[in-house]
């Protein structure tokens, strides 16, 4: 059996790879792939095969997917939904042409098990699920919870922040990225849920952003307030003027739908599947966040909270 992991240099793909590597039998081959050719030697040093796979270059995808039995299709990390759709179509068409046996797609958990979420980023994932369904490929869409490690992005918090300004609040069933990687690895290895098109991995409980702010206050010793800003234009204006991460105006307009969905409960669905595949209770998101703050002495940051340079 040949298993290929796309996005193997990224956080989630790298975590899945790391958990799969020591568990595979001698008759199985684990292959890492990335759009960065320079990553090859580092995988070779770990005894892991490497193939070049660039979502914007269909020829590299067709070559990378040849003779693959199980493919982890990690979602593109672009915030450009139109580009994401093009890239994802390239992956699906290449997998179909190469005769991949089963595709595991890393989707998002917005909307839980439903297809009704209006959050903009989820629309692209739902479109990808529809393309997979239409392709005739055997697939499982793994709807991954919001990473607990990404709490600063959702809270819009930086270590010096005294008051976070948000357009809304609601429950989020955060989960540890490491455990999501481990759980996804176990799904691939075991095949235990291959008959399901949609699998939801979440933490054991949901936290509101207000509750996360309280944790930040307790762990840093610095009071953190929350102000709910009414009206999209006012929210965007304030964020563009004061964002420490220098993110664009377009980013904040685009993100409004996140909070509209979160207020409706789109991110709050709790599933027991992660517990089932791990064989233990997943880490509580509140404790994960506390650990991150303690380890960083209250100076924790998340890369996506800053403008790409």
């Amino acid at each position: 059996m040949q298993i290929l992991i796309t996005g193997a240099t990224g956080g989630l793909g790298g975590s899945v790879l790391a958990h799969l590597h020591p568990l595979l039998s001698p008759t199985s081959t684990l292959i890492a792939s990335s759009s960065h050719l320079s990553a090859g030697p580092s995988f070779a040093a770990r005894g892991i095969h490497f193939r070049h796979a660039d979502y914007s270059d269909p020829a590299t995808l067709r070559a990378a997917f040849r003779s693959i039995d199980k493919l982890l299709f990690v979602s593109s990390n672009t915030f450009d939904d139109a580009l994401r759709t093009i890239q994802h179509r390239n992956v699906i068409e290449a997998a179909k042409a190469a005769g991949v046996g089963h595709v595991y797609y890393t989707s998002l958990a917005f909307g839980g098990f439903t297809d009704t979420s209006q959050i903009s980023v989820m629309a692209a994932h739902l479109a990808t699920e529809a393309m997979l369904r239409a392709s005739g490929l055997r697939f499982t869409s793994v709807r991954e919870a919001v990473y607990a490690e990404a709490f600063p992005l959702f809270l819009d918090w930086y270590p010096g922040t005294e008051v976070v300004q948000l357009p809304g609040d609601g429950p989020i069933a955060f989960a540890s990225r490491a455990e999501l990687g481990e759980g996804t690895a176990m799904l691939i290895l075991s095949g235990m849920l291959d008959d399901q098109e949609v699998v939801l991995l979440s933490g054991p409980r949901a936290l509101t952003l207000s509750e996360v702010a309280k944790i930040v206050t307790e762990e840093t010793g610095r009071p953190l307030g929350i102000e709910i800003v009414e009206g999209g234009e006012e929210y965007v204006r304030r964020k563009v003027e004061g964002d420490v991460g220098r993110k664009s105006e377009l980013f904040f307009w685009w993100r409004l739908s996140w909070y509209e969905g979160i207020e409706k409960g789109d991110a709050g669905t709790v599933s027991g599947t992660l517990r089932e595949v791990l064989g233990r209770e997943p880490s509580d998101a509140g404790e994960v966040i506390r650990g991150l703050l303690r380890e960083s002495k209250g100076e924790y940051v998340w890369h996506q909270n800053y403008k790409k340079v």
Side-chain angles (χ1 to χ4, degrees):
M1 179 172 63
Q2 295 203 97
I3 301 174
L4 185 138
I5 308 298
T6 66
T9 57
L12 182 60
S15 178
V16 174
L17 188 82
H19 284 101
L20 275 175
H21 189 211
L23 298 175
L24 287 184
S25 70
T27 59
S28 297
T29 301
L30 183 61
I31 304 167
S33 73
S34 170
S35 60
H36 305 294
L37 272 169
S38 58
S42 67
F43 290 111
R46 296 163 57 190
I48 298 173
H49 297 271
F50 177 79
R51 293 182 185 179
H52 180 221
D54 185 334
Y55 286 6
S56 294
D57 186 343
T60 69
L61 297 172
R62 289 191 295 271
F65 298 164
R66 191 174 299 123
S67 302
I68 296 301
D69 298 294
K70 293 188 174 186
L71 169 67
L72 178 67
F73 169 16
V74 176
S75 173
S76 170
N77 63 2
T78 181
F79 283 127
D80 183 331
D81 290 340
L83 176 60
R84 186 195 301 259
T85 298
I86 292 169
Q87 291 178 331
H88 287 190
R89 183 179 296 111
N90 290 342
V91 172
I92 292 166
E93 290 177 351
K96 178 73 172 178
V100 169
H102 198 103
V103 176
Y104 301 85
Y105 171 62
T106 63
S107 182
L108 283 177
F110 292 132
F113 292 100
T114 75
D115 295 342
T116 59
S117 176
Q118 299 301 305
I119 294 178
S120 57
V121 68
M122 192 62 203
H125 289 289
L126 293 174
T128 300
E129 291 179 3
M131 286 190 286
L132 282 163
R133 200 168 288 115
S135 74
L137 286 161
R138 293 185 67 225
F139 78 95
T140 300
S141 180
V142 186
R143 294 188 179 177
E144 312 270 2
V146 174
Y147 303 156
E149 293 85 350
F151 81 87
L153 179 64
F154 286 80
L155 191 58
D156 216 1
W157 174 81
Y158 302 89
T161 304
E162 295 180 353
V163 177
V164 291
Q165 297 174 331
L166 301 174
D169 191 5
I172 302 176
F174 293 102
S176 154
R177 183 171 68 178
E179 289 186 335
L180 289 170
E182 182 182 356
T184 302
M186 296 310 297
L187 282 172
I188 295 170
L189 188 63
S190 68
M192 61 190 294
L193 297 176
D194 281 1
D195 60 335
Q196 298 186 28
E197 286 190 351
V198 173
V199 171
L200 178 65
L201 300 184
S202 79
R205 69 179 177 118
L207 294 172
T208 65
L209 293 170
S210 296
E211 289 172 320
V212 174
K214 183 179 179 182
I215 291 171
V216 172
T217 295
E218 291 170 352
E219 292 299 328
T220 65
R222 301 187 297 262
L224 178 65
I226 283 190
E227 178 186 359
I228 301 299
V229 180
E230 300 291 340
E233 289 189 10
E234 178 63 13
Y235 165 73
V236 172
R237 183 188 67 78
R238 292 196 195 184
K239 298 313 301 178
V240 171
E241 289 178 357
D243 183 44
V244 174
R246 300 177 59 212
K247 297 184 290 295
S248 69
E249 178 178 349
L250 181 61
F251 175 86
F252 289 108
W253 278 114
W254 176 75
R255 199 165 71 158
L256 279 172
S257 72
W258 295 13
Y259 295 97
E260 291 170 359
I262 288 169
E263 280 193 314
K264 295 175 182 176
D266 275 11
T269 302
V270 173
S271 163
T273 304
L274 186 56
R275 180 192 310 111
E276 180 183 356
V277 297
L278 292 178
R280 65 178 190 273
E281 186 72 12
S283 300
D284 180 82
E287 293 307 309
V288 173
I289 293 169
R290 288 183 189 279
L292 294 168
L293 290 166
R294 289 170 187 167
E295 183 179 353
S296 64
K297 295 181 170 55
E299 299 300 311
Y300 181 73
V301 296
W302 179 252
H303 64 284
Q304 288 179 319
N305 218 16
Y306 296 83
K307 178 183 178 182
K308 285 187 177 181
V309 293

